[in-house]
Amino acid sequence: MLSPHEFATLLLVKDAPNQVDMAREELDALLEQQLVRLESLASGLQEWRLTESGDSAIKAIKRFS
């Protein structure tokens, strides 16, 4: 089960990945649960992305809300 902060961070990764603070504690939990991954961009920067499981989690939660 995701905490409200983890869910909000998951939505932020989905909708505005370039605005996610890389030091957010919630990212560690989401990474551990394999809901997000850190992707290296061609520019050399890194950006958080949803995994397939993360996308499925958002869809499932939206169905029940």
Side-chain angles (χ1 to χ4, degrees):
M1 185 65 128
L2 297 175
S3 73
H5 289 269
E6 291 167 347
F7 181 64
T9 301
L10 194 62
L11 287 174
L12 186 59
V13 169
K14 178 184 182 299
D15 295 333
N18 59 336
Q19 295 181 12
V20 177
D21 176 11
M22 294 292 202
R24 287 183 74 112
E25 290 179 24
E26 295 84 11
L27 288 169
D28 290 336
L30 296 174
L31 187 61
E32 186 176 302
Q33 295 175 55
Q34 298 180 352
L35 298 175
V36 297
R37 61 183 163 80
L38 195 55
E39 183 176 290
S40 296
L41 304 176
S43 65
L45 299 175
Q46 293 183 317
E47 192 170 86
W48 290 100
R49 299 280 189 202
L50 290 182
T51 62
E52 193 173 314
S53 296
D55 191 51
S56 294
I58 288 176
K59 288 177 183 173
I61 292 169
K62 285 184 176 182
R63 269 189 299 231
F64 292 107
S65 58

